[in-house]
Amino acid sequence: MALSISTTSTTALITILLLLSGGSSTMASNESINIPKFDIDQLEFALNLEYLEAEFFSWGAFGVGLDSLAPNLTMGGPPPIGVMKANLSSFVRDIIAQFAFQEFGHLRAIKSRVKGFPRPQMDLSAVAFATVMNNAFEMHLVPPFDPYANDINYLLASYVIPYVGLTGYVGTIPKLQSPTSERLVAGLLGVESGQDAVIRTLLFQRALSKVTPYSFTVAEFTSKISKLRNDLGKRGLKDEGVIVPLVQGAEGRIAGNVLVGDQNSLSFDRTPEEILRIVYGSGEENKPGLFYPKGADGRIARSYL
């Protein structure tokens, strides 16, 4: 039976969240953990996508974001452009609400270990996501894709985001120098992987359904988005849709692809450079755009600008 979030329960959740986040303004200053500079740079880079996910999921579920629910986490950074509440069923809204609160926790966890930086300028408008879809299909979809219109559109827009961060964490863990950092990133990876699996499962359930009003199926959308990310990343195949040619499926024996992985079903990895190429939409780590019109923040991202 579908779960639902009533107005009362939503208000209660928001109240609890505000109480929990209210005393964390001295986050990193209260920590005495000695983390190597290399690890600090990696952890701070991750904040870019965590900010993006926190805002996208929070606005999608509640119609408000960090400024209303956990303002201390923004560190004074500008609010996202164009983001709005999505037209979701009660079941999907409940899932996205869970994702939002999880992302708040991720931001808090990272900032408890490193200083961090203010929320960067992000563009989460319908235009930004329409651009992704137009680029994926190499044509202008008519009407323009609207990520906030319904469950399917929002899930497809969500498909664009967490997986990129997931591959980044897979690539980061082997390079970290501190067990504290490794434990943190492993914890982040676990939940990000879960979010991606939920999104992919919900889309796989509808894989052969047409995405109204277009002639393309859900599976075709996921395949096109994945191909676009592979092309932008410029490091070969690290991304696959929810239905793949048999040879690409697990053990080369199945076309369903709820969880994406290599020939041994191990998660793909990406470097910060690959991630920037994808989230900038430019294919270049030194050319900001798309979701980060002014560029991502942190020493790693800034070093390319």
Side-chain angles (χ1 to χ4, degrees):
M1 186 170 93
L3 300 176
S4 64
I5 299 180
S6 66
T7 302
T8 302
S9 61
T10 299
T11 302
L13 283 170
I14 291 174
T15 301
I16 292 170
L17 184 65
L18 289 170
L19 290 172
L20 289 174
S21 63
S24 56
S25 60
T26 59
M27 291 174 183
S29 62
N30 288 338
E31 294 287 336
S32 58
I33 300 169
N34 184 22
I35 297 179
K37 185 177 185 303
F38 177 86
D39 290 12
I40 291 173
D41 290 343
Q42 299 296 318
L43 293 175
E44 290 195 330
F45 180 79
L47 282 173
N48 288 292
L49 285 180
E50 296 293 354
Y51 273 126
L52 188 148
E53 294 176 40
E55 292 289 8
F56 183 63
F57 292 141
S58 181
W59 275 92
F62 303 121
V64 293
L66 289 172
D67 288 311
S68 296
L69 301 183
N72 60 304
L73 293 176
T74 72
M75 297 174 66
I81 299 167
V83 67
M84 63 183 69
K85 187 174 184 179
N87 181 28
L88 303 176
S89 66
S90 59
F91 178 71
V92 172
R93 187 179 305 283
D94 192 298
I95 292 171
I96 300 305
Q98 293 175 49
F99 288 179
F101 290 143
Q102 290 161 7
E103 295 306 328
F104 290 7
H106 289 182
L107 287 170
R108 188 175 298 107
I110 295 172
K111 292 181 181 186
S112 72
R113 287 146 177 96
V114 299
K115 181 179 179 181
F117 50 79
R119 175 182 54 191
Q121 181 67 77
M122 298 178 295
D123 185 350
L124 292 170
S125 66
V127 172
F129 284 97
T131 298
V132 171
M133 301 307 177
N134 289 343
N135 291 341
F137 282 93
E138 299 182 313
M139 61 180 288
H140 284 277
L141 297 181
V142 180
F145 181 84
D146 180 359
Y148 302 107
N150 52 55
D151 282 357
I152 292 293
N153 284 25
Y154 192 82
L155 289 170
L156 286 169
S158 299
Y159 180 90
V160 172
I161 301 170
Y163 180 72
V164 178
L166 180 166
T167 55
Y169 287 140
V170 174
T172 296
I173 289 176
K175 302 174 184 176
L176 295 172
Q177 301 170 2
S178 163
T180 298
S181 305
E182 291 174 345
R183 174 65 187 87
L184 172 60
V185 176
L188 294 166
L189 173 60
V191 174
E192 294 290 335
S193 299
Q195 291 177 353
D196 184 62
V198 170
I199 292 166
R200 292 180 70 95
T201 300
L202 292 173
L203 291 172
F204 183 68
Q205 286 181 311
R206 303 161 172 81
L208 302 182
S209 300
K210 293 291 179 66
V211 179
T212 307
Y214 314 111
S215 60
F216 305 108
T217 65
V218 168
E220 287 174 308
F221 264 83
T222 64
S223 294
K224 293 290 187 180
I225 294 167
S226 288
K227 182 181 183 302
L228 175 65
R229 292 190 296 211
N230 283 328
D231 292 344
L232 291 172
K234 298 181 179 179
R235 292 286 177 85
L237 190 152
K238 296 188 176 183
D239 218 309
E240 298 170 338
V242 299
I243 294 180
V244 294
L246 198 65
V247 68
Q248 286 181 233
E251 296 295 292
R253 300 173 68 176
I254 193 163
N257 201 40
V258 172
L259 299 180
V260 60
D262 64 14
Q263 67 271 22
N264 294 315
S265 293
L266 301 178
S267 294
F268 293 106
D269 67 302
R270 282 192 172 110
T271 64
E273 294 83 2
E274 292 173 79
I275 291 172
L276 291 174
R277 293 168 195 161
I278 293 168
V279 298
Y280 287 172
S282 64
E284 302 293 340
E285 60 268 32
N286 61 351
K287 292 184 180 179
L290 195 61
F291 297 125
Y292 299 88
K294 296 183 179 180
D297 208 340
R299 193 200 65 79
I300 294 174
R302 289 198 307 269
S303 70
Y304 295 107
L305 300 178

